[in-house]
Amino acid sequence: MSSSPKDAKKSPSPAGGARKATPKRIALITVGVLAGTALAGVLVVVFALAMAYPNLPALDSLTDYRPKMPLRIFSADGVLIGEFGEERRNLVRINEIPDVMKKAVLAIEDDRFYQHSGVDYTGILRAAVHNATGGARQGASTITQQVARNFFLSSEQTFKRKAYEVLLAWKIEKNLSKDQILEVYMNQIYLGQRAYGFSSAAQIYFGKSIKDITVAEAAMLAGLPKAPSAYNPVVNPKRARTRQQYILQRMHMLGYITPAQFEVAKAEQLRIKTDSAEFGVHAEYVAEMARQLVYEQFKEETYTRGLNVFTTVTKADQDAAYLALRRGVMDYEKRHPYRGPEAYIDIPSRKEDADEAIETELAEHPDSDDIIAAMVLSATPTGITAVTASGEELKISGAGLGFAQSWLSEKAAPNRRVRRGAVIRVTQEGGATWSITQMPLIESAFVAADTTDGAIRALVGGFDYNRNKFNHVTQAWRQPGSSFKPFIYSASLERGLSPATVINDAPISFDAGQTGGQAWEPKNYDGKYDGPMTMRKGLTKSKNMVSIRILHKIGAKYGQEYTSRFGFDADKNPPYLTLALGAGATTPLQMAGAYAVFANGGYRVSPYLISKVTDADGKVLSQAVPDRAGVEANRVIDARNAFLVDSMLKDVVRFGTATKALSLKRPDISGKTGTTNDSIDAWFAGYQSKLVAIAWIGYDQPKNLGNKETGGGLALPIWIGYMQKALKNIPVEEREVPAGLVHVGDEYYYAENPPGTGVQSLDVGTRGTPAEEKQKDAVKNELF
């Protein structure tokens, strides 16, 4: 019997048929699927991590942490004067890092560092909640994760990289202690200004050792890792201070500092190093010289091995030399006319635009220590208002306008007038009153060395290293002028002359037939001629005619060969009679070594700069073994000769062209001024028995310094300025008379050439011996 459709609808479901899908059932199925998927995902991740973990990089770079260490240059007394390398770094152990620095870093980077095991799950949750609620985006990387990232991973933002970061953090925590991890982090992290690590940053930003930093300074440094450029206190002082204040609040909230410390730190005004002197002493030329010398030996390792180079200069000597040179050059500038502003701009009327335009222009005119660039905002004959690159507004009036007074008038030439928009130079007189000045066009050099072994005590290669890196001490080959005469006098003592030999200070000329070239009529500097005088007086008064007659007598070829004993290059000092006037070429460094021979009793010493080089662990890699005075193998002139020249050079100070040096009130100083033809180079070379020093002034492109400018007026004051400080605690030393000299009347003679013997006079109206007359005729082949 067949069933009807109605009956069919009511028939029950066969066994095993689908059950009715209820909401509850759908929910259970969904949860099950999700749980299964999650479990599978976890299993996959765990499997992937398990497979990846053994393939993580070895931690050798951490367990045996040896970062690239820069080349460091130190003074003899341990002051850092230079640092070279891509990474400026100073490795310090965790126990050398002050507690306040560690707490500042932990407060802002990872306050649960000592509680978590590499990954801070609490921190991740906190950051996720904060970010989900719309706050400023927060990260949750621990210090350990940052170490993993900095050493082994790229900065790409991918899940794979993050996973590796987590794995590496776990591995690092398994292999290193917390203190080891923190030590690596605090030495490795980049903190701007090429500084790596907090110790280096403390030196660069504050000019001090990390052990001496304050709470406020520590908080400022701790703010740098997140964004070294954005929070750089040199570039962005306002933003850096805002972050520093936030870190101080964190430190206070976490109990790392007391309420009293918090209040003091909040109010502390930080002194950020923004000047050109990155180190505690101006020794830029010294540092660069040392770098070049070390590179010759160690090549590219120079900048990565952490070499420590100890120079022979001392901070006190270097400071004294730098200040004396700068003062001497600026005194010259004051004696010569003002050249006008360095540049002009049209200052926009809108303040924001004006500030930007002024800042941009002044950046092209960097300060030179205390000589500061400023933009004129307004100018009248009675006063100037100007602003510096730092934003300081200053007023100049009265005596401060004196140097540029004529250029404040409305009648002044438009391209020289001091007006709104002009870039001028200012300096503070006496630390309070501002005055107009100008950057010098002339250059200068100064070097001082120990006469016993040649150790350089101070070296300033120019007025401003950042402006002109040419080292005039070692690279400027200039005519020494009259400062070369003592070496000719020294040579003559070995040819029978004595300080008592009478020589005619009278005009002398050589025609073209004698010279084989052009006629030569040398003159005394002052155009005056005093007739017959002793050789001693001839040097005291720096008489050119006397020096020429001496060299004529002994022969220019002999003079050239003899002076090479002092370290002068024969090829730069040709054997012509012009050698008597210092017409060859030398450097200030060469002059220092040469004058040291007179100071130390006749021994050749070579000026040297580096005493030793050590590696990062202090192991000595090289040590200087200098030539020393007192070692007979180093003797280049007779002790008697050195004594006699020294006694004549003492007279130059007592009665001659260097009497300004009497202001030192010391009887044991000797020296010689030098002014070349047309006043192109100005020198003073002088010494006390233990210390020799050379000062030079001139233009890089040789030109006249001024008709009244001399070595005694230009270079000698620099020398005196240095010696006032360098000899302050050095006792006066009386020179011992060497054996083999006899004292007759007021003069000393070689025992083998007592009075009445040897060469007693030159060209004073009597005809010499046939041999002497023959020697005079040799001028034909010697002059040019």
Side-chain angles (χ1 to χ4, degrees), residues 10 93 124 148 214 236 300 336 432 440-441 580 618 645 675 717 719 773:
K10 292 181 179 179
R93 298 303 173 193
I124 292 173
T214 65
N236 295 306
E300 289 306 318
H336 293 79
L441 295 180
V645 175
T675 309
W719 188 90
E773 294 303 312

Side-chain angles (χ1 to χ4, degrees), residues 311-323:
T311 65
T312 54
V313 304
T314 67
K315 184 182 186 308
D317 281 74
Q318 187 65 25
D319 284 343
Y322 175 80
L323 292 173

Side-chain angles (χ1 to χ4, degrees), residues 484-521:
F484 195 78
K485 289 175 181 175
F487 306 102
I488 303 301
Y489 280 60
S490 175
S492 74
L493 296 176
E494 301 305 312
R495 282 291 184 265
L497 282 75
S498 76
T501 298
V502 176
I503 303 166
N504 196 9
D505 174 37
I508 188 170
S509 63
F510 304 94
D511 60 35
Q514 286 177 294
T515 66
Q518 64 190 63
W520 185 46
E521 292 188 21

Side-chain angles (χ1 to χ4, degrees), residues 264-287:
V264 169
K266 272 202 308 180
E268 184 176 331
Q269 292 299 311
L270 301 186
R271 296 176 62 86
I272 307 295
K273 282 170 62 73
T274 58
D275 61 346
S276 60
E278 295 180 4
F279 305 99
V281 57
H282 278 283
E284 296 90 345
Y285 291 98
V286 173

Side-chain angles (χ1 to χ4, degrees), residues 300-354:
E300 289 306 318
E301 280 193 328
T302 299
Y303 309 116
T304 58
R305 281 188 64 178
L307 300 178
N308 294 310
V309 180
F310 293 89
T311 65
T312 54
V313 304
T314 67
K315 184 182 186 308
D317 281 74
Q318 187 65 25
D319 284 343
Y322 175 80
L323 292 173
L325 183 145
R326 299 267 299 191
R327 189 181 304 114
V329 169
M330 294 312 293
D331 284 346
Y332 172 87
E333 284 297 317
K334 290 174 186 176
R335 293 198 296 272
H336 293 79
Y338 182 57
R339 294 183 294 274
E342 293 181 16
Y344 294 94
I345 66 166
D346 292 324
I347 302 177
S349 55
R350 188 165 167 268
K351 188 177 187 310
E352 291 77 6
D353 295 339

